[in-house]
Amino acid sequence: MPTTTLPKRRESRGDQRRHQIFKSLHDCILAKGYVKTTLADVAEGAGMSASHLLYYFKGKEDILEQYFDSVSVRFMARIAEFSSQEPRVQIQSLADFWFKGETSTIKEIGFMLECFGAAVNDDVLRITKAEFDESCKAHLVDIFQASPAVFMESTKDAAEISYALMIGLRSAVYFDSDINLDEAHRLFLNSILSMSGHT
Amino acid sequence: MPTTTLPKRRESRGDQRRHQIFKSLHDCILAKGYVKTTLADVAEGAGMSASHLLYYFKGKEDILEQYFDSVSVRFMARIAEFSSQEPRVQIQSLADFWFKGETSTIKEIGFMLECFGAAVNDDVLRITKAEFDESCKAHLVDIFQASPAVFMESTKDAAEISYALMIGLRSAVYFDSDINLDEAHRLFLNSILSMSGHT
DNA sequence: CGTATTTCTTGAATATAATTCAAAATACAC
DNA sequence: GTGTATTTTGAATTATATTCAAGAAATACG
């Protein structure tokens, strides 16, 4: 399916091409998963030949690595926007970000989980994820420091637990039928509010 | 005098072979990850030809699916053993199980994370994981019901949060340098004890 | 314009790994 | 011993990632 995109002057031709490839990879992963996605699949979605993908990227892994990085950057920017809000509102924003909206559908969580699995044995993905985690936890520490009270030994512990809860609940939403996005949202929100003394 | 050796018919020849294959697959996954492991690698470790692996299993995926299932069964049996203990001891046992000992090294956590990633687009793995999760959460509900007090809306919520915490903390231990197995053990233990009213 | 140069694009060739299969080797029953 | 069932293998087959030489298109420049 060829996509006719308007030529933006801000983006070089190469960047446009790269974005088409990312978009196609994302579509393919949501449809059949990264492992089962072939370069031919991605190429067709991006309207080019498979061999031409390797003009822009070193290989299949490289496409995922760079795409994962771009998603990571986008997410960090989004989360950074919350910083100006009151702690209580910030917590609400985070709950919404991780358990509501288009970035947190079941399929998107599946994409995330598959990336984590791939990251286990891919240095580039692993480092990207580690930096993303670090950034998220730093934000959480800030939130807890600005909060009324923390029922934890330290704000660092509270951040660690909050982040683990987010990862674990999203995983549960994907795999387990006893919990859905709304319930996970409630559990996450209530837990963080409670930990931060927002009674 | 006993002249006849007992026929160790506990395991058929085929089952022995299958176990050799599982063992080899596990070694390979710890060494280079499932995706990068080839059938030739597994075959060499199990002392047979690659094509012969497919005499016992339908394919590479099938080996992982059946091995993951056997690990799941083994883990469930181990966790079921804790049931006779007092709630407080049971919580300690769970913390040790998930964050201490040979089943919870960094490499084993990596194996788990890679399986979860693969499970996203593999029906067999996904169902195995879903059933395992369900079983674990049921045990947690039992623990909370037998505990002094639960600072949650329900024991189901407490179980959901505990399990999410376990998954999220193990993931953090694998990817993030700001937390190790000992700290995760402490955080998990303290959180569950606190949630269950074991002050 | 015309053409030189750079960038883009492809199909054909190659490499690697999973899977199939016919047949050989081995174990086993009688 | 001989026939049958099981185990095992190496040699094809298939699928996919990757390389590469060369053609097409865009762009720079006289």
Side-chain angles (χ1 to χ4, degrees):
Chain A
M1 41 211 79
T3 49
T4 51
T5 46
L6 303 174
K8 286 182 186 174
R9 282 285 161 253
R10 289 274 169 248
E11 255 188 353
S12 75
R13 178 175 186 74
D15 286 342
Q16 280 183 354
R17 265 336 211 172
R18 268 174 261 268
H19 274 159
Q20 287 171 1
I21 294 168
F22 286 160
K23 173 71 167 58
S24 175
L25 176 70
H26 186 249
D27 291 346
C28 288
I29 291 180
L30 292 207
K32 47 178 15 191
Y34 171 71
V35 175
K36 287 173 188 153
T37 293
T38 68
L39 285 181
D41 292 333
V42 179
E44 189 187 354
M48 64 185 71
S49 68
S51 63
H52 191 47
L53 291 173
L54 306 212
Y55 174 76
Y56 291 109
F57 299 95
K58 272 181 65 182
K60 191 184 166 187
E61 280 195 336
D62 187 38
I63 307 179
L64 182 66
E65 286 162 5
Q66 294 200 36
Y67 179 52
F68 186 66
D69 186 72
S70 82
V71 171
S72 164
V73 167
R74 181 149 38 88
F75 277 25
M76 284 197 283
R78 190 85 188 77
I79 289 169
E81 288 174 13
F82 303 153
S83 297
S84 56
Q85 303 169 337
E86 290 296 307
R88 195 195 178 87
V89 182
Q90 227 175 128
I91 291 167
Q92 176 76 49
S93 297
L94 276 180
D96 292 351
F97 180 75
W98 289 119
F99 299 97
K100 277 196 202 318
E102 60 211 54
T103 50
S104 294
T105 61
I106 296 280
K107 292 231 166 202
E108 293 293 340
I109 291 173
F111 165 68
M112 179 199 77
L113 289 168
E114 207 181 354
C115 285
F116 293 174
V120 168
N121 292 287
D122 181 312
D123 290 346
V124 178
L125 288 177
R126 194 169 62 241
I127 289 169
T128 302
K129 166 147 173 68
E131 288 173 354
F132 180 77
D133 289 355
E134 195 179 354
S135 165
C136 284
K137 290 180 196 174
H139 272 285
L140 284 164
V141 165
D142 290 345
I143 293 175
F144 283 109
Q145 274 172 351
S147 290
V150 179
F151 301 122
M152 284 283 137
E153 286 186 26
S154 67
T155 53
K156 195 252 185 195
D157 283 2
E160 206 68 65
I161 285 174
S162 305
Y163 196 69
L165 209 48
M166 181 276 283
I167 294 287
L169 284 174
R170 278 168 66 96
S171 172
V173 166
Y174 187 85
F175 288 113
D176 306 338
S177 55
D178 67 334
I179 183 170
N180 59 31
L181 277 166
D182 283 344
E183 286 176 275
H185 181 276
R186 172 180 64 81
L187 285 175
F188 180 77
L189 184 58
N190 288 350
S191 300
I192 313 302
L193 286 177
S194 153
M195 270 197 289
S196 58
H198 291 92
T199 47
Chain B
M1 58 179 77
T3 53
T4 54
T5 53
L6 295 175
K8 275 201 171 182
R9 268 290 164 182
R10 289 201 58 206
E11 254 190 352
S12 74
R13 177 174 185 75
D15 285 342
Q16 280 184 342
R17 263 343 209 166
R18 268 174 261 268
H19 273 162
Q20 287 172 0
I21 294 168
F22 285 160
K23 173 72 166 58
S24 174
L25 176 70
H26 187 250
D27 291 347
C28 288
I29 291 179
L30 291 208
K32 44 172 28 186
Y34 171 71
V35 174
K36 285 172 189 154
T37 294
T38 69
L39 286 181
D41 294 332
V42 178
E44 190 187 353
M48 64 185 72
S49 69
S51 62
H52 191 48
L53 292 173
L54 307 210
Y55 174 76
Y56 291 109
F57 298 95
K58 272 180 65 182
K60 191 184 167 187
E61 281 196 335
D62 187 38
I63 308 179
L64 182 66
E65 286 162 3
Q66 294 199 35
Y67 179 53
F68 186 67
D69 186 72
S70 81
V71 170
S72 163
V73 167
R74 180 150 38 91
F75 278 25
M76 284 198 282
R78 189 85 188 75
I79 289 170
E81 288 174 14
F82 303 153
S83 296
S84 56
Q85 304 169 335
E86 289 296 305
R88 197 195 175 87
V89 182
Q90 225 175 130
I91 291 167
Q92 177 76 48
S93 298
L94 276 180
D96 292 352
F97 180 75
W98 290 119
F99 299 98
K100 275 196 204 315
E102 61 211 52
T103 50
S104 294
T105 60
I106 296 280
K107 291 231 167 200
E108 292 293 339
I109 292 173
F111 165 68
M112 179 198 77
L113 289 169
E114 208 181 352
C115 284
F116 293 173
V120 169
N121 291 287
D122 179 313
D123 290 345
V124 178
L125 289 177
R126 194 169 64 239
I127 289 169
T128 301
K129 166 148 172 66
E131 288 173 353
F132 180 78
D133 289 355
E134 195 179 353
S135 164
C136 285
K137 290 180 195 173
H139 273 285
L140 285 165
V141 165
D142 290 345
I143 293 176
F144 283 110
Q145 273 171 353
S147 290
V150 179
F151 301 121
M152 283 283 138
E153 287 187 26
S154 68
T155 52
K156 194 252 182 195
D157 282 3
E160 205 69 65
I161 286 174
S162 304
Y163 196 69
L165 209 49
M166 182 276 283
I167 294 288
L169 284 173
R170 280 169 66 96
S171 172
V173 165
Y174 187 85
F175 288 112
D176 306 338
S177 55
D178 66 335
I179 182 169
N180 59 30
L181 276 166
D182 283 344
E183 286 177 276
H185 181 276
R186 172 180 65 81
L187 285 175
F188 180 75
L189 184 59
N190 289 349
S191 299
I192 313 300
L193 286 177
S194 153
M195 270 197 288
S196 58
H198 291 93
T199 47

